[in-house]
Amino acid sequence: MEVILFEQIPDLFDAVGRLFVQKKEELCEMDAMLGDGDLGLTMSKGYAALPDLMRQEAPAADGDIGKMMMKAGMKMSSLVPSTMGFLMSTGVMEGGKALKGKQQMDGNALADYLNGFAAGIQKRGKCQEGQRTIYDSILPAARAAKEAADGQASLEQVISAALKAAQAGVEATKDMVPVFGKAAVHAQKCKGVADQGAVAGCYKIQGMADYICGK
């Protein structure tokens, strides 16, 4: 796949939604150890709904991917009114803002989306790299995507680089000390265990890769 056309963007996120439905129980179990236990529900509900929200906004967007994403992301926030839900919807909106006026997504546009998404996570969550959050998989993915795109890599190469970096980011969280939520209270239990938010962030990238690389 060389580019993703405007009308294919909802299909891209269909792949993400399907993966989160498959991973729902796994993420809930991980979250129950150090969080509220609802992470899998939030991610599966939000991303399963997002493609249809995009399709609803498509006519008014008139071929503008960014406009469609921003409007759909705004509606997504009302469906998952939780901390992670707001982070995800803000990320989608900021990622959409980076694609305003784009009618198709190539490697450069994908990198722009991922960097916008990461910026949205940081903006909403007030988190920094190394604090053991979803940002620790999303930010490396965005950086790797940008580097690959700057090197004129293909769409598939850009998402593959992003996924590899996200997976490495998840692994790195095993040695990080949490500063947010219940995990911060039980920091000792986190040692050697991947952060559930970072895992969820990696699954978002994996879902996109599954679609783009035809898996």
Side-chain angles (χ1 to χ4, degrees):
M1 179 175 284
E2 295 182 5
V3 297
I4 303 173
L5 303 177
F6 171 83
E7 57 269 23
Q8 295 174 311
I9 295 296
D11 297 333
L12 169 66
F13 286 92
D14 260 333
V16 177
R18 286 196 301 272
L19 182 60
F20 275 122
V21 169
Q22 294 172 17
K23 302 295 186 179
K24 180 173 66 175
E25 294 305 321
E26 175 192 327
L27 290 173
C28 282
E29 289 175 6
M30 289 186 70
D31 196 40
M33 293 174 61
L34 297 165
D36 296 325
D38 61 353
L39 178 60
L41 295 172
T42 296
M43 302 304 284
S44 59
K45 182 178 181 180
Y47 277 104
L50 184 58
D52 282 340
L53 295 177
M54 289 180 169
R55 293 182 181 107
Q56 291 170 18
E57 296 298 330
D62 194 27
D64 187 328
I65 292 175
K67 186 175 180 180
M68 177 176 65
M69 281 190 171
M70 286 187 285
K71 293 288 188 179
M74 190 177 299
K75 289 187 175 180
M76 180 186 180
S77 66
S78 65
L79 296 178
V80 281
S82 63
T83 300
M84 183 61 81
F86 289 138
L87 286 175
M88 292 301 97
S89 57
T90 301
V92 171
M93 286 188 280
E94 290 295 320
K97 189 181 295 185
L99 297 182
K100 192 172 181 180
K102 297 283 187 181
Q103 296 185 333
Q104 63 184 29
M105 181 185 285
D106 58 9
N108 283 293
L110 173 59
D112 289 342
Y113 168 76
L114 291 177
N115 277 274
F117 186 86
I121 294 292
Q122 197 281 326
K123 176 181 177 182
R124 184 80 187 197
K126 302 294 190 288
C127 51
Q128 300 296 327
E129 188 175 9
Q131 293 181 330
R132 193 182 155 91
T133 69
I134 185 173
Y135 195 54
D136 288 304
S137 62
I138 291 296
L139 182 61
R143 284 174 173 164
K146 175 65 173 169
E147 183 178 351
D150 285 348
Q152 300 185 331
S154 68
L155 181 66
E156 291 188 11
Q157 289 170 330
V158 169
I159 193 62
S160 295
L163 179 57
K164 183 177 180 180
Q167 291 168 338
V170 168
E171 189 66 22
T173 64
K174 293 180 179 180
D175 296 320
M176 294 178 187
V177 178
V179 298
F180 297 107
K182 294 181 180 179
V185 179
H186 304 287
Q188 288 299 319
K189 294 182 179 180
C190 297
K191 192 171 183 179
V193 179
D195 176 68
Q196 65 269 32
V199 171
C202 186
Y203 283 153
K204 174 190 169 74
I205 306 299
Q206 183 180 325
M208 298 177 77
D210 287 347
Y211 177 79
I212 292 170
C213 299
K215 295 181 181 178

